Amino acid sequence: MALGKILVVDDDKNICELLRLYLEKEGYSVILAHDGEEALLKFETLHPELVLLDIMLPGLDGWQVCREIRKKSQAPIIMLTAKGETFDKVLGLELGADDYVVKPFDTKEIIARVKAVLRRVGQSSQASDVKEVSYDKLVVNMTRYELKVDGKVIDTPPKELELLFHLASHPNRVYTRDQLLDEVWGFEYYGDSRTIDVHVKRLREKLEGVSDKWCLKTVWGVGYKFEVTDLL
């Protein structure tokens, strides 16, 4: 019995077939697409549980496909690319990608990443704990993946919301960047602490000046915390 459907998007058919072989061996059902338009069509009609998405595609590129998927779905996306520059990582994460793997990759690593992301999503959907935190002029709801600031819904990528929810659920607790990578992303992100910095920076742009009762605070030399003055 298949564990779930995975959409593999890459214009290199050899890579697609290799990933199909390994994923099917693990029990997943695999859908293949070789360009951006085909990927979006198959995503909308076949509803995969996860997308392995190459960046350099004919027609719509991976960035555009990621952006379109995020407009209507929170299905996990793992970006595949030959590029390793920080810019590419930052852009992919800002668009809502859940993970990022650089080619040439080890197929065992891909399988491990797929399992880790799906496990995290499964745990998130089955968890019975609180799915909403609220403070003065701030509500983070993970059931609807919604951020409300001063009564208004603010469009926010999934990972930013998950990071904010994690910090706000543990007010005044200091987290190192590595702890946040491990606990929010669910895997070791190879020490790329800039991932956290980028997300915090973008959250601050949305939250700056909203309330004097809480803030996203940098603890120099350590990491970050969601500081709540009422609890101090």
Side-chain angles (χ1 to χ4, degrees):
M1 183 177 178
L3 296 175
K5 289 180 285 188
I6 295 178
L7 174 60
V8 176
V9 187
D10 200 308
D11 60 339
D12 186 328
K13 295 184 179 179
N14 290 327
I15 288 178
C16 283
E17 290 301 329
L18 179 68
L19 288 172
R20 186 217 287 268
L21 179 69
Y22 277 87
L23 288 165
E24 287 182 346
K25 186 178 177 183
E26 292 292 326
Y28 298 101
S29 173
V30 180
I31 307 157
L32 300 181
H34 304 300
D35 61 57
E37 288 85 355
E38 182 186 9
L40 287 175
L41 178 62
K42 289 187 173 178
F43 183 86
E44 291 183 20
T45 56
L46 300 174
H47 310 293
E49 277 73 33
L50 181 143
V51 183
L52 286 170
L53 177 61
D54 187 36
I55 291 176
M56 303 303 288
L57 295 170
L60 293 176
D61 64 21
W63 305 133
Q64 293 168 297
V65 173
C66 181
R67 188 181 291 113
E68 289 303 311
I69 288 174
R70 276 293 167 261
K71 287 179 181 177
K72 59 196 80 174
S73 172
Q74 302 302 333
I77 298 171
I78 299 177
M79 306 296 282
L80 306 175
T81 179
K83 294 183 178 179
E85 291 83 10
T86 302
F87 170 78
D88 290 323
K89 291 186 181 183
V90 170
L91 181 55
L93 293 165
E94 287 181 349
L95 290 175
D98 294 81
D99 197 353
Y100 185 103
V101 181
V102 179
K103 297 176 184 177
F105 49 74
D106 184 332
T107 47
K108 290 180 181 177
E109 180 191 353
I110 293 285
I111 298 299
R113 296 294 183 99
V114 166
K115 287 181 177 178
V117 170
L118 287 175
R119 184 166 56 248
R120 178 180 56 76
V121 170
Q123 288 170 346
S124 174
S125 64
Q126 293 170 18
S128 59
D129 55 350
V130 178
K131 288 293 185 181
E132 180 177 287
V133 292
S134 59
Y135 294 93
D136 180 48
K137 300 180 182 177
L138 175 72
V139 179
V140 186
N141 186 296
M142 297 309 294
T143 303
R144 297 191 296 271
Y145 265 80
E146 183 179 271
L147 172 63
K148 233 180 229 189
V149 176
D150 204 9
K152 296 177 182 176
V153 176
I154 305 296
D155 189 30
T156 309
K159 271 292 167 287
E160 284 181 31
L161 266 178
E162 290 171 19
L163 177 60
L164 179 58
F165 180 79
H166 191 72
L167 288 168
S169 296
H170 304 90
N172 299 328
R173 176 178 166 181
V174 180
Y175 286 89
T176 68
R177 290 170 177 81
D178 286 342
Q179 282 177 320
L180 291 170
L181 286 170
D182 189 44
E183 294 176 24
V184 177
W185 273 255
F187 56 84
E188 295 294 340
Y189 210 81
Y190 294 103
D192 189 2
S193 62
R194 277 205 52 183
T195 302
I196 300 296
D197 298 338
V198 167
H199 282 70
V200 169
K201 177 176 178 289
R202 290 177 66 86
L203 282 169
R204 280 177 172 155
E205 290 170 0
K206 297 176 173 74
L207 303 175
E208 191 170 4
V210 172
S211 173
D212 59 1
K213 296 181 180 178
W214 51 262
C215 68
L216 269 178
K217 188 169 183 178
T218 301
V219 181
W220 296 108
V222 184
Y224 296 102
K225 69 175 176 176
F226 186 86
E227 186 171 279
V228 181
T229 54
D230 288 351
L231 300 180
L232 294 175

